[in-house]
Amino acid sequence: MERSLSLYWTLLKSTFVLSAFTIGGGYVIVPLMQKKFVEDLKWIDTEEMLDLVALGQSMPGALAVNTSILVGYRMAGVSGALTTVLGTVSPPLIIITVISYFYMSFRDNPIVDALMLGMQIGVVAVILNVVVTMVKDVLKTKDIVNLLILIGAFVAGFIFEVNVILVILVAGIIGYINNMQKLKKGGV
């Protein structure tokens, strides 16, 4: 019983801290979640973390919450998922509640504007880091189909502005077919 309480406490504390100190949305929290759950706690491996992020991204809702739910479920079932939801949504809820009370007094403050601009620049750097890390992971697989999916998804989304849902759906189907063929050949 104590071990499971320790597991829930670690899930709650980890997701609460990650959520409280992550500014910039779901893509910013992904490398921090990877560091915490893959590198520090060693609960899951990098490939599974990427799978959980991909699943979280394909579901409606916030990426950080969705991925936290999946990590919590992976570690402790439904109660783990509920624990990570609580840990992930509590900090923004508390922060937004406090900010809403004081919003009118600081909305036109030039110092706050400068601070927000600085945070935006930092967020761009963190998101770029996530992209580079994910590209490296895809390249490590040495799978030409995965590389073509990566390039095709980028071209479709960035250059041709194809709806992201369609990009994810097509990439998922191609990835599924590719992996099924590998399984049949005994390569996965």
Side-chain angles (χ1 to χ4, degrees), residues 86-114:
L86 180 64
T88 305
V89 301
S90 295
L93 182 64
I94 294 166
I95 292 167
I96 293 296
T97 302
V98 170
I99 288 174
S100 67
Y101 284 115
F102 299 105
Y103 176 73
M104 295 304 281
S105 63
F106 68 79
R107 71 177 179 176
D108 295 325
N109 186 320
I111 295 172
V112 172
D113 283 344

mmCIF file with all atom_site columns, all heavy atoms in Angstrom, residues 86-114:
data_model
loop_
_atom_site.group_PDB
_atom_site.id
_atom_site.type_symbol
_atom_site.label_atom_id
_atom_site.label_alt_id
_atom_site.label_comp_id
_atom_site.label_asym_id
_atom_site.label_entity_id
_atom_site.label_seq_id
_atom_site.pdbx_PDB_ins_code
_atom_site.Cartn_x
_atom_site.Cartn_y
_atom_site.Cartn_z
_atom_site.occupancy
_atom_site.B_iso_or_equiv
_atom_site.pdbx_formal_charge
_atom_site.auth_seq_id
_atom_site.auth_comp_id
_atom_site.auth_asym_id
_atom_site.auth_atom_id
_atom_site.pdbx_PDB_model_num
ATOM 1   N N   . LEU A 1 86  ? -5.268  15.837 -11.977 1.00 0.00 ? 86  LEU A N   1
ATOM 2   C CA  . LEU A 1 86  ? -5.281  16.786 -10.863 1.00 0.00 ? 86  LEU A CA  1
ATOM 3   C C   . LEU A 1 86  ? -3.970  17.563 -10.795 1.00 0.00 ? 86  LEU A C   1
ATOM 4   O O   . LEU A 1 86  ? -3.974  18.790 -10.652 1.00 0.00 ? 86  LEU A O   1
ATOM 5   C CB  . LEU A 1 86  ? -5.537  16.054 -9.542  1.00 0.00 ? 86  LEU A CB  1
ATOM 6   C CG  . LEU A 1 86  ? -5.574  16.914 -8.283  1.00 0.00 ? 86  LEU A CG  1
ATOM 7   C CD1 . LEU A 1 86  ? -6.745  17.889 -8.340  1.00 0.00 ? 86  LEU A CD1 1
ATOM 8   C CD2 . LEU A 1 86  ? -5.664  16.037 -7.043  1.00 0.00 ? 86  LEU A CD2 1
ATOM 9   N N   . GLY A 1 87  ? -2.860  16.866 -10.932 1.00 0.00 ? 87  GLY A N   1
ATOM 10  C CA  . GLY A 1 87  ? -1.558  17.518 -10.875 1.00 0.00 ? 87  GLY A CA  1
ATOM 11  C C   . GLY A 1 87  ? -1.318  18.473 -12.029 1.00 0.00 ? 87  GLY A C   1
ATOM 12  O O   . GLY A 1 87  ? -0.682  19.512 -11.864 1.00 0.00 ? 87  GLY A O   1
ATOM 13  N N   . THR A 1 88  ? -1.843  18.135 -13.193 1.00 0.00 ? 88  THR A N   1
ATOM 14  C CA  . THR A 1 88  ? -1.599  18.952 -14.383 1.00 0.00 ? 88  THR A CA  1
ATOM 15  C C   . THR A 1 88  ? -2.500  20.177 -14.466 1.00 0.00 ? 88  THR A C   1
ATOM 16  O O   . THR A 1 88  ? -2.058  21.251 -14.858 1.00 0.00 ? 88  THR A O   1
ATOM 17  C CB  . THR A 1 88  ? -1.757  18.100 -15.666 1.00 0.00 ? 88  THR A CB  1
ATOM 18  O OG1 . THR A 1 88  ? -0.885  16.971 -15.571 1.00 0.00 ? 88  THR A OG1 1
ATOM 19  C CG2 . THR A 1 88  ? -1.399  18.894 -16.905 1.00 0.00 ? 88  THR A CG2 1
ATOM 20  N N   . VAL A 1 89  ? -3.762  20.034 -14.088 1.00 0.00 ? 89  VAL A N   1
ATOM 21  C CA  . VAL A 1 89  ? -4.685  21.167 -14.261 1.00 0.00 ? 89  VAL A CA  1
ATOM 22  C C   . VAL A 1 89  ? -4.712  22.115 -13.066 1.00 0.00 ? 89  VAL A C   1
ATOM 23  O O   . VAL A 1 89  ? -5.136  23.268 -13.206 1.00 0.00 ? 89  VAL A O   1
ATOM 24  C CB  . VAL A 1 89  ? -6.128  20.709 -14.597 1.00 0.00 ? 89  VAL A CB  1
ATOM 25  C CG1 . VAL A 1 89  ? -6.154  19.898 -15.866 1.00 0.00 ? 89  VAL A CG1 1
ATOM 26  C CG2 . VAL A 1 89  ? -6.772  19.964 -13.460 1.00 0.00 ? 89  VAL A CG2 1
ATOM 27  N N   . SER A 1 90  ? -4.264  21.674 -11.904 1.00 0.00 ? 90  SER A N   1
ATOM 28  C CA  . SER A 1 90  ? -4.321  22.544 -10.715 1.00 0.00 ? 90  SER A CA  1
ATOM 29  C C   . SER A 1 90  ? -3.487  23.824 -10.839 1.00 0.00 ? 90  SER A C   1
ATOM 30  O O   . SER A 1 90  ? -4.005  24.912 -10.561 1.00 0.00 ? 90  SER A O   1
ATOM 31  C CB  . SER A 1 90  ? -3.905  21.768 -9.461  1.00 0.00 ? 90  SER A CB  1
ATOM 32  O OG  . SER A 1 90  ? -4.822  20.755 -9.201  1.00 0.00 ? 90  SER A OG  1
ATOM 33  N N   . PRO A 1 91  ? -2.206  23.740 -11.246 1.00 0.00 ? 91  PRO A N   1
ATOM 34  C CA  . PRO A 1 91  ? -1.430  24.992 -11.329 1.00 0.00 ? 91  PRO A CA  1
ATOM 35  C C   . PRO A 1 91  ? -2.020  26.038 -12.274 1.00 0.00 ? 91  PRO A C   1
ATOM 36  O O   . PRO A 1 91  ? -2.179  27.196 -11.868 1.00 0.00 ? 91  PRO A O   1
ATOM 37  C CB  . PRO A 1 91  ? -0.053  24.525 -11.792 1.00 0.00 ? 91  PRO A CB  1
ATOM 38  C CG  . PRO A 1 91  ? 0.035   23.115 -11.344 1.00 0.00 ? 91  PRO A CG  1
ATOM 39  C CD  . PRO A 1 91  ? -1.356  22.568 -11.469 1.00 0.00 ? 91  PRO A CD  1
ATOM 40  N N   . PRO A 1 92  ? -2.397  25.676 -13.515 1.00 0.00 ? 92  PRO A N   1
ATOM 41  C CA  . PRO A 1 92  ? -2.986  26.709 -14.372 1.00 0.00 ? 92  PRO A CA  1
ATOM 42  C C   . PRO A 1 92  ? -4.285  27.265 -13.802 1.00 0.00 ? 92  PRO A C   1
ATOM 43  O O   . PRO A 1 92  ? -4.548  28.466 -13.910 1.00 0.00 ? 92  PRO A O   1
ATOM 44  C CB  . PRO A 1 92  ? -3.250  25.994 -15.704 1.00 0.00 ? 92  PRO A CB  1
ATOM 45  C CG  . PRO A 1 92  ? -2.412  24.778 -15.679 1.00 0.00 ? 92  PRO A CG  1
ATOM 46  C CD  . PRO A 1 92  ? -2.205  24.422 -14.245 1.00 0.00 ? 92  PRO A CD  1
ATOM 47  N N   . LEU A 1 93  ? -5.080  26.410 -13.182 1.00 0.00 ? 93  LEU A N   1
ATOM 48  C CA  . LEU A 1 93  ? -6.335  26.866 -12.592 1.00 0.00 ? 93  LEU A CA  1
ATOM 49  C C   . LEU A 1 93  ? -6.074  27.880 -11.488 1.00 0.00 ? 93  LEU A C   1
ATOM 50  O O   . LEU A 1 93  ? -6.703  28.942 -11.434 1.00 0.00 ? 93  LEU A O   1
ATOM 51  C CB  . LEU A 1 93  ? -7.122  25.667 -12.045 1.00 0.00 ? 93  LEU A CB  1
ATOM 52  C CG  . LEU A 1 93  ? -8.473  25.977 -11.439 1.00 0.00 ? 93  LEU A CG  1
ATOM 53  C CD1 . LEU A 1 93  ? -9.420  26.523 -12.497 1.00 0.00 ? 93  LEU A CD1 1
ATOM 54  C CD2 . LEU A 1 93  ? -9.059  24.735 -10.793 1.00 0.00 ? 93  LEU A CD2 1
ATOM 55  N N   . ILE A 1 94  ? -5.118  27.584 -10.634 1.00 0.00 ? 94  ILE A N   1
ATOM 56  C CA  . ILE A 1 94  ? -4.765  28.503 -9.541  1.00 0.00 ? 94  ILE A CA  1
ATOM 57  C C   . ILE A 1 94  ? -4.192  29.803 -10.098 1.00 0.00 ? 94  ILE A C   1
ATOM 58  O O   . ILE A 1 94  ? -4.596  30.905 -9.707  1.00 0.00 ? 94  ILE A O   1
ATOM 59  C CB  . ILE A 1 94  ? -3.763  27.823 -8.569  1.00 0.00 ? 94  ILE A CB  1
ATOM 60  C CG1 . ILE A 1 94  ? -4.426  26.649 -7.854  1.00 0.00 ? 94  ILE A CG1 1
ATOM 61  C CG2 . ILE A 1 94  ? -3.207  28.837 -7.573  1.00 0.00 ? 94  ILE A CG2 1
ATOM 62  C CD1 . ILE A 1 94  ? -3.453  25.718 -7.147  1.00 0.00 ? 94  ILE A CD1 1
ATOM 63  N N   . ILE A 1 95  ? -3.254  29.679 -11.039 1.00 0.00 ? 95  ILE A N   1
ATOM 64  C CA  . ILE A 1 95  ? -2.590  30.862 -11.609 1.00 0.00 ? 95  ILE A CA  1
ATOM 65  C C   . ILE A 1 95  ? -3.581  31.747 -12.354 1.00 0.00 ? 95  ILE A C   1
ATOM 66  O O   . ILE A 1 95  ? -3.594  32.973 -12.174 1.00 0.00 ? 95  ILE A O   1
ATOM 67  C CB  . ILE A 1 95  ? -1.418  30.440 -12.513 1.00 0.00 ? 95  ILE A CB  1
ATOM 68  C CG1 . ILE A 1 95  ? -0.302  29.816 -11.661 1.00 0.00 ? 95  ILE A CG1 1
ATOM 69  C CG2 . ILE A 1 95  ? -0.891  31.615 -13.324 1.00 0.00 ? 95  ILE A CG2 1
ATOM 70  C CD1 . ILE A 1 95  ? 0.765   29.086 -12.468 1.00 0.00 ? 95  ILE A CD1 1
ATOM 71  N N   . ILE A 1 96  ? -4.432  31.151 -13.172 1.00 0.00 ? 96  ILE A N   1
ATOM 72  C CA  . ILE A 1 96  ? -5.417  31.930 -13.943 1.00 0.00 ? 96  ILE A CA  1
ATOM 73  C C   . ILE A 1 96  ? -6.410  32.610 -12.999 1.00 0.00 ? 96  ILE A C   1
ATOM 74  O O   . ILE A 1 96  ? -6.818  33.754 -13.232 1.00 0.00 ? 96  ILE A O   1
ATOM 75  C CB  . ILE A 1 96  ? -6.153  31.034 -14.961 1.00 0.00 ? 96  ILE A CB  1
ATOM 76  C CG1 . ILE A 1 96  ? -5.183  30.554 -16.032 1.00 0.00 ? 96  ILE A CG1 1
ATOM 77  C CG2 . ILE A 1 96  ? -7.338  31.747 -15.586 1.00 0.00 ? 96  ILE A CG2 1
ATOM 78  C CD1 . ILE A 1 96  ? -4.592  31.659 -16.886 1.00 0.00 ? 96  ILE A CD1 1
ATOM 79  N N   . THR A 1 97  ? -6.795  31.926 -11.947 1.00 0.00 ? 97  THR A N   1
ATOM 80  C CA  . THR A 1 97  ? -7.712  32.530 -10.984 1.00 0.00 ? 97  THR A CA  1
ATOM 81  C C   . THR A 1 97  ? -7.092  33.770 -10.346 1.00 0.00 ? 97  THR A C   1
ATOM 82  O O   . THR A 1 97  ? -7.730  34.822 -10.254 1.00 0.00 ? 97  THR A O   1
ATOM 83  C CB  . THR A 1 97  ? -8.099  31.502 -9.893  1.00 0.00 ? 97  THR A CB  1
ATOM 84  O OG1 . THR A 1 97  ? -8.696  30.371 -10.518 1.00 0.00 ? 97  THR A OG1 1
ATOM 85  C CG2 . THR A 1 97  ? -9.066  32.104 -8.892  1.00 0.00 ? 97  THR A CG2 1
ATOM 86  N N   . VAL A 1 98  ? -5.828  33.656 -9.926  1.00 0.00 ? 98  VAL A N   1
ATOM 87  C CA  . VAL A 1 98  ? -5.133  34.798 -9.313  1.00 0.00 ? 98  VAL A CA  1
ATOM 88  C C   . VAL A 1 98  ? -4.956  35.920 -10.335 1.00 0.00 ? 98  VAL A C   1
ATOM 89  O O   . VAL A 1 98  ? -5.234  37.099 -10.034 1.00 0.00 ? 98  VAL A O   1
ATOM 90  C CB  . VAL A 1 98  ? -3.771  34.361 -8.729  1.00 0.00 ? 98  VAL A CB  1
ATOM 91  C CG1 . VAL A 1 98  ? -2.931  35.555 -8.314  1.00 0.00 ? 98  VAL A CG1 1
ATOM 92  C CG2 . VAL A 1 98  ? -3.984  33.414 -7.556  1.00 0.00 ? 98  VAL A CG2 1
ATOM 93  N N   . ILE A 1 99  ? -4.517  35.580 -11.546 1.00 0.00 ? 99  ILE A N   1
ATOM 94  C CA  . ILE A 1 99  ? -4.301  36.603 -12.581 1.00 0.00 ? 99  ILE A CA  1
ATOM 95  C C   . ILE A 1 99  ? -5.596  37.328 -12.915 1.00 0.00 ? 99  ILE A C   1
ATOM 96  O O   . ILE A 1 99  ? -5.601  38.549 -13.109 1.00 0.00 ? 99  ILE A O   1
ATOM 97  C CB  . ILE A 1 99  ? -3.673  35.975 -13.837 1.00 0.00 ? 99  ILE A CB  1
ATOM 98  C CG1 . ILE A 1 99  ? -2.214  35.614 -13.558 1.00 0.00 ? 99  ILE A CG1 1
ATOM 99  C CG2 . ILE A 1 99  ? -3.773  36.907 -15.041 1.00 0.00 ? 99  ILE A CG2 1
ATOM 100 C CD1 . ILE A 1 99  ? -1.542  34.850 -14.681 1.00 0.00 ? 99  ILE A CD1 1
ATOM 101 N N   . SER A 1 100 ? -6.696  36.596 -12.983 1.00 0.00 ? 100 SER A N   1
ATOM 102 C CA  . SER A 1 100 ? -7.967  37.240 -13.351 1.00 0.00 ? 100 SER A CA  1
ATOM 103 C C   . SER A 1 100 ? -8.378  38.309 -12.343 1.00 0.00 ? 100 SER A C   1
ATOM 104 O O   . SER A 1 100 ? -9.016  39.290 -12.712 1.00 0.00 ? 100 SER A O   1
ATOM 105 C CB  . SER A 1 100 ? -9.073  36.201 -13.509 1.00 0.00 ? 100 SER A CB  1
ATOM 106 O OG  . SER A 1 100 ? -9.381  35.610 -12.265 1.00 0.00 ? 100 SER A OG  1
ATOM 107 N N   . TYR A 1 101 ? -8.015  38.127 -11.085 1.00 0.00 ? 101 TYR A N   1
ATOM 108 C CA  . TYR A 1 101 ? -8.338  39.143 -10.075 1.00 0.00 ? 101 TYR A CA  1
ATOM 109 C C   . TYR A 1 101 ? -7.527  40.423 -10.265 1.00 0.00 ? 101 TYR A C   1
ATOM 110 O O   . TYR A 1 101 ? -7.976  41.510 -9.927  1.00 0.00 ? 101 TYR A O   1
ATOM 111 C CB  . TYR A 1 101 ? -8.115  38.601 -8.658  1.00 0.00 ? 101 TYR A CB  1
ATOM 112 C CG  . TYR A 1 101 ? -9.205  37.662 -8.211  1.00 0.00 ? 101 TYR A CG  1
ATOM 113 C CD1 . TYR A 1 101 ? -8.917  36.323 -7.970  1.00 0.00 ? 101 TYR A CD1 1
ATOM 114 C CD2 . TYR A 1 101 ? -10.518 38.094 -8.034  1.00 0.00 ? 101 TYR A CD2 1
ATOM 115 C CE1 . TYR A 1 101 ? -9.912  35.445 -7.563  1.00 0.00 ? 101 TYR A CE1 1
ATOM 116 C CE2 . TYR A 1 101 ? -11.514 37.231 -7.637  1.00 0.00 ? 101 TYR A CE2 1
ATOM 117 C CZ  . TYR A 1 101 ? -11.208 35.911 -7.400  1.00 0.00 ? 101 TYR A CZ  1
ATOM 118 O OH  . TYR A 1 101 ? -12.187 35.049 -7.005  1.00 0.00 ? 101 TYR A OH  1
ATOM 119 N N   . PHE A 1 102 ? -6.325  40.301 -10.794 1.00 0.00 ? 102 PHE A N   1
ATOM 120 C CA  . PHE A 1 102 ? -5.439  41.457 -10.923 1.00 0.00 ? 102 PHE A CA  1
ATOM 121 C C   . PHE A 1 102 ? -5.246  41.932 -12.363 1.00 0.00 ? 102 PHE A C   1
ATOM 122 O O   . PHE A 1 102 ? -4.482  42.846 -12.612 1.00 0.00 ? 102 PHE A O   1
ATOM 123 C CB  . PHE A 1 102 ? -4.064  41.120 -10.315 1.00 0.00 ? 102 PHE A CB  1
ATOM 124 C CG  . PHE A 1 102 ? -4.134  40.783 -8.866  1.00 0.00 ? 102 PHE A CG  1
ATOM 125 C CD1 . PHE A 1 102 ? -4.011  39.459 -8.451  1.00 0.00 ? 102 PHE A CD1 1
ATOM 126 C CD2 . PHE A 1 102 ? -4.331  41.761 -7.911  1.00 0.00 ? 102 PHE A CD2 1
ATOM 127 C CE1 . PHE A 1 102 ? -4.082  39.133 -7.111  1.00 0.00 ? 102 PHE A CE1 1
ATOM 128 C CE2 . PHE A 1 102 ? -4.412  41.442 -6.567  1.00 0.00 ? 102 PHE A CE2 1
ATOM 129 C CZ  . PHE A 1 102 ? -4.285  40.125 -6.166  1.00 0.00 ? 102 PHE A CZ  1
ATOM 130 N N   . TYR A 1 103 ? -5.913  41.322 -13.310 1.00 0.00 ? 103 TYR A N   1
ATOM 131 C CA  . TYR A 1 103 ? -5.695  41.594 -14.728 1.00 0.00 ? 103 TYR A CA  1
ATOM 132 C C   . TYR A 1 103 ? -5.831  43.075 -15.083 1.00 0.00 ? 103 TYR A C   1
ATOM 133 O O   . TYR A 1 103 ? -4.974  43.631 -15.770 1.00 0.00 ? 103 TYR A O   1
ATOM 134 C CB  . TYR A 1 103 ? -6.652  40.762 -15.585 1.00 0.00 ? 103 TYR A CB  1
ATOM 135 C CG  . TYR A 1 103 ? -6.534  41.076 -17.050 1.00 0.00 ? 103 TYR A CG  1
ATOM 136 C CD1 . TYR A 1 103 ? -5.428  40.659 -17.779 1.00 0.00 ? 103 TYR A CD1 1
ATOM 137 C CD2 . TYR A 1 103 ? -7.520  41.803 -17.718 1.00 0.00 ? 103 TYR A CD2 1
ATOM 138 C CE1 . TYR A 1 103 ? -5.303  40.951 -19.126 1.00 0.00 ? 103 TYR A CE1 1
ATOM 139 C CE2 . TYR A 1 103 ? -7.404  42.097 -19.056 1.00 0.00 ? 103 TYR A CE2 1
ATOM 140 C CZ  . TYR A 1 103 ? -6.298  41.671 -19.757 1.00 0.00 ? 103 TYR A CZ  1
ATOM 141 O OH  . TYR A 1 103 ? -6.175  41.965 -21.083 1.00 0.00 ? 103 TYR A OH  1
ATOM 142 N N   . MET A 1 104 ? -6.868  43.693 -14.658 1.00 0.00 ? 104 MET A N   1
ATOM 143 C CA  . MET A 1 104 ? -7.126  45.089 -15.040 1.00 0.00 ? 104 MET A CA  1
ATOM 144 C C   . MET A 1 104 ? -6.008  46.023 -14.576 1.00 0.00 ? 104 MET A C   1
ATOM 145 O O   . MET A 1 104 ? -5.695  47.000 -15.259 1.00 0.00 ? 104 MET A O   1
ATOM 146 C CB  . MET A 1 104 ? -8.463  45.563 -14.470 1.00 0.00 ? 104 MET A CB  1
ATOM 147 C CG  . MET A 1 104 ? -9.660  44.825 -15.040 1.00 0.00 ? 104 MET A CG  1
ATOM 148 S SD  . MET A 1 104 ? -9.749  44.891 -16.834 1.00 0.00 ? 104 MET A SD  1
ATOM 149 C CE  . MET A 1 104 ? -10.407 46.504 -17.052 1.00 0.00 ? 104 MET A CE  1
ATOM 150 N N   . SER A 1 105 ? -5.373  45.720 -13.451 1.00 0.00 ? 105 SER A N   1
ATOM 151 C CA  . SER A 1 105 ? -4.362  46.627 -12.921 1.00 0.00 ? 105 SER A CA  1
ATOM 152 C C   . SER A 1 105 ? -3.012  46.517 -13.654 1.00 0.00 ? 105 SER A C   1
ATOM 153 O O   . SER A 1 105 ? -2.222  47.448 -13.606 1.00 0.00 ? 105 SER A O   1
ATOM 154 C CB  . SER A 1 105 ? -4.172  46.397 -11.424 1.00 0.00 ? 105 SER A CB  1
ATOM 155 O OG  . SER A 1 105 ? -3.690  45.098 -11.198 1.00 0.00 ? 105 SER A OG  1
ATOM 156 N N   . PHE A 1 106 ? -2.753  45.409 -14.329 1.00 0.00 ? 106 PHE A N   1
ATOM 157 C CA  . PHE A 1 106 ? -1.440  45.300 -14.988 1.00 0.00 ? 106 PHE A CA  1
ATOM 158 C C   . PHE A 1 106 ? -1.493  45.017 -16.485 1.00 0.00 ? 106 PHE A C   1
ATOM 159 O O   . PHE A 1 106 ? -0.457  44.824 -17.111 1.00 0.00 ? 106 PHE A O   1
ATOM 160 C CB  . PHE A 1 106 ? -0.558  44.256 -14.280 1.00 0.00 ? 106 PHE A CB  1
ATOM 161 C CG  . PHE A 1 106 ? -1.012  42.835 -14.409 1.00 0.00 ? 106 PHE A CG  1
ATOM 162 C CD1 . PHE A 1 106 ? -0.765  42.104 -15.553 1.00 0.00 ? 106 PHE A CD1 1
ATOM 163 C CD2 . PHE A 1 106 ? -1.670  42.219 -13.361 1.00 0.00 ? 106 PHE A CD2 1
ATOM 164 C CE1 . PHE A 1 106 ? -1.166  40.799 -15.656 1.00 0.00 ? 106 PHE A CE1 1
ATOM 165 C CE2 . PHE A 1 106 ? -2.070  40.906 -13.464 1.00 0.00 ? 106 PHE A CE2 1
ATOM 166 C CZ  . PHE A 1 106 ? -1.824  40.191 -14.613 1.00 0.00 ? 106 PHE A CZ  1
ATOM 167 N N   . ARG A 1 107 ? -2.665  45.042 -17.108 1.00 0.00 ? 107 ARG A N   1
ATOM 168 C CA  . ARG A 1 107 ? -2.759  44.680 -18.522 1.00 0.00 ? 107 ARG A CA  1
ATOM 169 C C   . ARG A 1 107 ? -2.021  45.650 -19.444 1.00 0.00 ? 107 ARG A C   1
ATOM 170 O O   . ARG A 1 107 ? -1.556  45.261 -20.502 1.00 0.00 ? 107 ARG A O   1
ATOM 171 C CB  . ARG A 1 107 ? -4.210  44.543 -18.953 1.00 0.00 ? 107 ARG A CB  1
ATOM 172 C CG  . ARG A 1 107 ? -4.944  45.846 -19.034 1.00 0.00 ? 107 ARG A CG  1
ATOM 173 C CD  . ARG A 1 107 ? -6.330  45.658 -19.525 1.00 0.00 ? 107 ARG A CD  1
ATOM 174 N NE  . ARG A 1 107 ? -6.978  46.961 -19.543 1.00 0.00 ? 107 ARG A NE  1
ATOM 175 C CZ  . ARG A 1 107 ? -8.160  47.186 -19.978 1.00 0.00 ? 107 ARG A CZ  1
ATOM 176 N NH1 . ARG A 1 107 ? -8.876  46.205 -20.445 1.00 0.00 ? 107 ARG A NH1 1
ATOM 177 N NH2 . ARG A 1 107 ? -8.663  48.391 -19.942 1.00 0.00 ? 107 ARG A NH2 1
ATOM 178 N N   . ASP A 1 108 ? -1.886  46.922 -19.073 1.00 0.00 ? 108 ASP A N   1
ATOM 179 C CA  . ASP A 1 108 ? -1.209  47.900 -19.916 1.00 0.00 ? 108 ASP A CA  1
ATOM 180 C C   . ASP A 1 108 ? 0.186   48.257 -19.407 1.00 0.00 ? 108 ASP A C   1
ATOM 181 O O   . ASP A 1 108 ? 0.796   49.211 -19.895 1.00 0.00 ? 108 ASP A O   1
ATOM 182 C CB  . ASP A 1 108 ? -2.056  49.179 -20.014 1.00 0.00 ? 108 ASP A CB  1
ATOM 183 C CG  . ASP A 1 108 ? -3.379  48.925 -20.722 1.00 0.00 ? 108 ASP A CG  1
ATOM 184 O OD1 . ASP A 1 108 ? -3.391  48.097 -21.657 1.00 0.00 ? 108 ASP A OD1 1
ATOM 185 O OD2 . ASP A 1 108 ? -4.394  49.543 -20.338 1.00 0.00 ? 108 ASP A OD2 1
ATOM 186 N N   . ASN A 1 109 ? 0.699   47.504 -18.485 1.00 0.00 ? 109 ASN A N   1
ATOM 187 C CA  . ASN A 1 109 ? 2.012   47.759 -17.901 1.00 0.00 ? 109 ASN A CA  1
ATOM 188 C C   . ASN A 1 109 ? 3.115   47.354 -18.886 1.00 0.00 ? 109 ASN A C   1
ATOM 189 O O   . ASN A 1 109 ? 3.172   46.211 -19.334 1.00 0.00 ? 109 ASN A O   1
ATOM 190 C CB  . ASN A 1 109 ? 2.148   46.959 -16.603 1.00 0.00 ? 109 ASN A CB  1
ATOM 191 C CG  . ASN A 1 109 ? 3.410   47.268 -15.844 1.00 0.00 ? 109 ASN A CG  1
ATOM 192 O OD1 . ASN A 1 109 ? 4.463   47.443 -16.432 1.00 0.00 ? 109 ASN A OD1 1
ATOM 193 N ND2 . ASN A 1 109 ? 3.286   47.311 -14.533 1.00 0.00 ? 109 ASN A ND2 1
ATOM 194 N N   . PRO A 1 110 ? 4.026   48.296 -19.253 1.00 0.00 ? 110 PRO A N   1
ATOM 195 C CA  . PRO A 1 110 ? 5.082   47.976 -20.220 1.00 0.00 ? 110 PRO A CA  1
ATOM 196 C C   . PRO A 1 110 ? 6.065   46.916 -19.708 1.00 0.00 ? 110 PRO A C   1
ATOM 197 O O   . PRO A 1 110 ? 6.630   46.155 -20.495 1.00 0.00 ? 110 PRO A O   1
ATOM 198 C CB  . PRO A 1 110 ? 5.796   49.310 -20.451 1.00 0.00 ? 110 PRO A CB  1
ATOM 199 C CG  . PRO A 1 110 ? 5.344   50.212 -19.366 1.00 0.00 ? 110 PRO A CG  1
ATOM 200 C CD  . PRO A 1 110 ? 4.056   49.689 -18.831 1.00 0.00 ? 110 PRO A CD  1
ATOM 201 N N   . ILE A 1 111 ? 6.250   46.826 -18.420 1.00 0.00 ? 111 ILE A N   1
ATOM 202 C CA  . ILE A 1 111 ? 7.139   45.800 -17.864 1.00 0.00 ? 111 ILE A CA  1
ATOM 203 C C   . ILE A 1 111 ? 6.532   44.413 -18.070 1.00 0.00 ? 111 ILE A C   1
ATOM 204 O O   . ILE A 1 111 ? 7.220   43.466 -18.458 1.00 0.00 ? 111 ILE A O   1
ATOM 205 C CB  . ILE A 1 111 ? 7.423   46.072 -16.366 1.00 0.00 ? 111 ILE A CB  1
ATOM 206 C CG1 . ILE A 1 111 ? 8.212   47.375 -16.226 1.00 0.00 ? 111 ILE A CG1 1
ATOM 207 C CG2 . ILE A 1 111 ? 8.157   44.904 -15.730 1.00 0.00 ? 111 ILE A CG2 1
ATOM 208 C CD1 . ILE A 1 111 ? 8.378   47.846 -14.806 1.00 0.00 ? 111 ILE A CD1 1
ATOM 209 N N   . VAL A 1 112 ? 5.227   44.313 -17.855 1.00 0.00 ? 112 VAL A N   1
ATOM 210 C CA  . VAL A 1 112 ? 4.540   43.031 -18.072 1.00 0.00 ? 112 VAL A CA  1
ATOM 211 C C   . VAL A 1 112 ? 4.593   42.672 -19.557 1.00 0.00 ? 112 VAL A C   1
ATOM 212 O O   . VAL A 1 112 ? 4.822   41.507 -19.916 1.00 0.00 ? 112 VAL A O   1
ATOM 213 C CB  . VAL A 1 112 ? 3.088   43.091 -17.555 1.00 0.00 ? 112 VAL A CB  1
ATOM 214 C CG1 . VAL A 1 112 ? 2.306   41.855 -17.953 1.00 0.00 ? 112 VAL A CG1 1
ATOM 215 C CG2 . VAL A 1 112 ? 3.066   43.275 -16.047 1.00 0.00 ? 112 VAL A CG2 1
ATOM 216 N N   . ASP A 1 113 ? 4.402   43.658 -20.438 1.00 0.00 ? 113 ASP A N   1
ATOM 217 C CA  . ASP A 1 113 ? 4.498   43.410 -21.882 1.00 0.00 ? 113 ASP A CA  1
ATOM 218 C C   . ASP A 1 113 ? 5.881   42.887 -22.263 1.00 0.00 ? 113 ASP A C   1
ATOM 219 O O   . ASP A 1 113 ? 6.004   41.933 -23.036 1.00 0.00 ? 113 ASP A O   1
ATOM 220 C CB  . ASP A 1 113 ? 4.213   44.700 -22.676 1.00 0.00 ? 113 ASP A CB  1
ATOM 221 C CG  . ASP A 1 113 ? 2.737   45.022 -22.746 1.00 0.00 ? 113 ASP A CG  1
ATOM 222 O OD1 . ASP A 1 113 ? 1.916   44.120 -22.467 1.00 0.00 ? 113 ASP A OD1 1
ATOM 223 O OD2 . ASP A 1 113 ? 2.406   46.169 -23.081 1.00 0.00 ? 113 ASP A OD2 1
ATOM 224 N N   . ALA A 1 114 ? 6.919   43.482 -21.727 1.00 0.00 ? 114 ALA A N   1
ATOM 225 C CA  . ALA A 1 114 ? 8.286   43.050 -22.022 1.00 0.00 ? 114 ALA A CA  1
ATOM 226 C C   . ALA A 1 114 ? 8.534   41.639 -21.492 1.00 0.00 ? 114 ALA A C   1
ATOM 227 O O   . ALA A 1 114 ? 9.179   40.814 -22.148 1.00 0.00 ? 114 ALA A O   1
ATOM 228 C CB  . ALA A 1 114 ? 9.293   44.026 -21.423 1.00 0.00 ? 114 ALA A CB  1
#
